[in-house]
Structures are given as structure tokens and as C-alpha cells.
Amino acid sequence: MAITIIGLDIAKLVFHAACCNEHGKLVQKKTLKRAAVLSFFTNMPSCIVAIEACATAHYWAREIERCGHTVKLIPPQYVKAFLVGNKNDYNDALAIAVAARQHHIRVVNANTIEQQDNQALHKARQLAIRQRTAVCNQIRGLAAEYGICISRSVSAVRQNIMVWLSDECTELSVLFKQLLFQLKEQLNMLDVSIGVFDEMINVTSKENAICQRLQSIPGVGPMIASAYFNEVGNGSAYRKGRDVSASLGLVPKQHSSGGKDVLLGISKRGNSYLRCLLVQGAKAVVSRAKKKEDKLSSWINHLVKTRGHNRACVAYANKIARMAWAITVNDTEYSAI
């Protein structure tokens, strides 16, 4: 019988394909070397190719779509439920194919090259920030061994290290000062790298029409707009704004049974980096709302009064995600009422 769906378990070098017919029955199993993947799909009749949405999946989705197939990227957490028997590559591929047949499972849209470029910028910036934090902690830890304790901020490290390196500081040895000088140079290099990444993100945001419209929302700057575009794209993968906020973990977790609805704290699912940025942007707006009287500020101030500052920040972060989706799909800008 004709093959209608292929579950592809991707890897670095060796790929495994489970080919199924329209009834979901396994017809063929195939082991593919990396170099032979695209030629295999070029020679196959058009069908649905299901891939787990993991590392390199977006690249393979774009390439396989060029071969004339329809690609479905399945979230990994939904594939696990359909794995039967021991875990191996063929069983994984078959589980991916079975999961792709379930109409209630939402698929992931393949990232465009522009989204992937922007995502790489954010990842590189995150790495530089983590490295800077590690260098600062190293400096603080070494200084503590000499009886010198300072606060944990990066600015405190910058200020104190200049004092320690000065000739007036006689508490530290010459060798240790040489070591501190090298660490200071590392810190300066990382500061420069972070500044370069920030500028690149600002430039790409200015060149992207969606990012420009998103920045009309209070609390959304180039960083948040760029990260939101990387995750959501043009918004076509979502039916409504609440689906976006739910995918980012900004809606309550539910634990209901027997007709009794129980709502807990936010689920914290999805992209934790974007969720963190949205909450930070929301905090900036909430902290300034107390001095304003417009409709949005009145809504925020009422939430702060009845539910507390932190819940109000999360609620507004949820609202940002929903408004951003509406702005993205409707090709409009934020308009205060």
C-alpha cells in the first residue's frame, strides 16, 4: 500500500525512518546516512513527514519541504506517550509517525532563516552573559580568600577591581594583582561582546516590520520584540492570543477532577527566556503605572491593589503576549483606548 506518512528520527549521522500507510500500519523501515536523507525524500512520492521538534529539526523541515513533502514538527513531550516497547531509534520514529496522526496535537511551525538568525543572536548573548557572571563570581570568590567581600553585582566588581589594581592597595600581592588584571581583561571583552550583540539585535529589530509594530506595546523594546518574533513568527500557528500565552507558560496550571475546577500558579511551560523577558518588561510598566491614570494603568493599579504587585506583573506579561499576537496577525499597532 502507498506510504502516506513517514516518521523520521533525526540524529547527527544516522537517521531512522518509519514509513506507514493511510491506516497507520508500518510498511517500511529505513536507516539513512546523513548524506542520503534528502535523496531518499526526493525519490519518495509526496507525503507527510513527521519530525520531533528538537535540535536541527527546523533545518531538516525546510529542506524536506523543498523536496515536495508536508512536514509536521511534533513537540517531544507528545511523542513520548506513543512510544511502545523499548526505546530505540525505529520505535522512536514509529511513535513520531503515530503522534502526527493525532489531530488534537498541535504542531510547531518551522522557523524561517530570519528567525533562526535572530535566535542565534539571542543564544550567543545569553552565553556571553553567563560567562560574564562566571568571571564576576570567580573574582569575588578569589577576593574573599584574601578577606575582601563585596556585593554580587557586576558594577560592584568593576568598581572594586580598579581599586584593588591601584598602587594604593597594599593588601594584595603583585602576583594576585596580575591575575586580577587578566580577569578584568576577560570581563571587558565580554562586556564588549554583549554590547555588540545588543546592537545587532537592535538593528535586526529595526529592519523587521513585525518587531517594529510590537514595540508600540508598552513594556516591549527591541529585545522582547525580537525574542517574540523568534518564537511566534507571523502568528499563523496560533488560533488566538491565549494560545500564545499558554504556550509560554503564562496561564494558570489546571488540576481539575470530578467537575471541580482547580487553578494553580502559572504553568511555566514553553520558552522560559521569552517568558522572563515579558515579565521584566511588565515589571517596568507596572512600577510606573501608579503615577498614571489611563485605562491600562487603571487596570494595572486595580490588580496591584487586589492581587499584589507580582501577580499584576505576570497578568500584564500575559496581556502583552496576547496583544502581541493580535498585532502580529492583524498587521496593526497598539492603540491606547
Side-chain angles (χ1 to χ4, degrees), residues 160-172:
N160 283 278
I161 200 169
M162 298 306 296
V163 175
W164 299 336
L165 292 173
S166 65
D167 295 334
E168 288 77 15
C169 181
T170 58
E171 301 174 20
L172 304 175

Side-chain angles (χ1 to χ4, degrees), residues 282-309 311-313 315-316 319:
K283 284 183 176 180
V285 176
V286 171
S287 63
R288 291 167 175 77
K290 62 183 75 172
K291 299 179 182 178
K292 300 179 180 179
E293 297 181 353
D294 57 277
K295 188 173 182 180
L296 176 63
S297 298
S298 299
W299 176 78
I300 291 173
N301 291 331
H302 176 72
L303 273 180
V304 172
K305 184 177 179 180
T306 57
R307 305 298 294 167
H309 180 83
R311 288 191 178 93
C313 291
Y316 183 57
K319 196 177 189 70

Side-chain angles (χ1 to χ4, degrees), residues 194-209:
I194 293 169
V196 170
F197 293 137
D198 287 343
E199 182 60 27
M200 292 174 72
I201 290 172
N202 289 337
V203 170
T204 55
S205 295
K206 288 179 182 177
E207 295 173 350
N208 187 297

Side-chain angles (χ1 to χ4, degrees), residues 95-117:
I96 294 168
V98 175
R101 290 171 53 84
Q102 312 305 310
H103 299 292
H104 66 286
I105 292 180
R106 295 177 185 171
V107 299
V108 178
N109 272 14
N111 286 346
T112 63
I113 293 294
E114 184 182 9
Q115 285 177 282
Q116 204 157 316
D117 288 344

Side-chain angles (χ1 to χ4, degrees), residues 56-225:
T56 73
H58 294 277
Y59 163 77
W60 287 111
R62 292 193 299 269
E63 294 299 317
I64 293 172
E65 281 180 346
R66 291 194 185 102
C67 297
H69 300 281
T70 301
V71 177
K72 284 188 174 183
L73 294 180
I74 312 297
Q77 64 268 28
Y78 299 142
V79 175
K80 183 67 176 176
F82 297 97
L83 179 63
V84 178
N86 295 321
K87 176 176 169 45
N88 58 55
D89 295 326
Y90 281 125
N91 284 347
D92 285 345
L94 183 58
I96 294 168
V98 175
R101 290 171 53 84
Q102 312 305 310
H103 299 292
H104 66 286
I105 292 180
R106 295 177 185 171
V107 299
V108 178
N109 272 14
N111 286 346
T112 63
I113 293 294
E114 184 182 9
Q115 285 177 282
Q116 204 157 316
D117 288 344
N118 288 342
Q119 192 176 63
L121 274 176
H122 283 268
K123 291 293 184 182
R125 181 179 179 273
Q126 280 183 279
L127 175 62
I129 290 175
R130 287 198 303 269
Q131 290 175 334
R132 183 177 66 179
T133 302
V135 172
C136 288
N137 289 340
Q138 180 74 82
I139 293 171
R140 289 176 51 251
L142 293 173
E145 296 294 333
Y146 289 82
I148 303 173
C149 292
I150 61 172
S151 62
R152 292 185 293 179
S153 66
V154 177
S155 59
V157 172
R158 289 199 193 100
Q159 292 170 6
N160 283 278
I161 200 169
M162 298 306 296
V163 175
W164 299 336
L165 292 173
S166 65
D167 295 334
E168 288 77 15
C169 181
T170 58
E171 301 174 20
L172 304 175
S173 65
V174 175
L175 180 59
F176 186 66
K177 285 185 177 182
Q178 291 175 349
L179 182 149
L180 285 177
F181 178 79
Q182 294 301 321
L183 291 174
K184 181 179 77 70
E185 290 299 304
Q186 289 184 32
L187 191 60
N188 290 340
M189 271 186 6
L190 290 169
D191 286 336
V192 171
S193 296
I194 293 169
V196 170
F197 293 137
D198 287 343
E199 182 60 27
M200 292 174 72
I201 290 172
N202 289 337
V203 170
T204 55
S205 295
K206 288 179 182 177
E207 295 173 350
N208 187 297
I210 293 177
C211 291
Q212 285 296 295
R213 295 200 304 273
L214 291 177
Q215 290 180 61
S216 63
I217 303 173
V220 176
M223 197 69 63
I224 297 177

Side-chain angles (χ1 to χ4, degrees), residues 6 36-46 67 69:
I6 300 174
V37 172
L38 293 182
S39 60
F40 170 77
F41 284 105
T42 301
N43 297 324
M44 289 289 292
S46 296
C67 297
H69 300 281

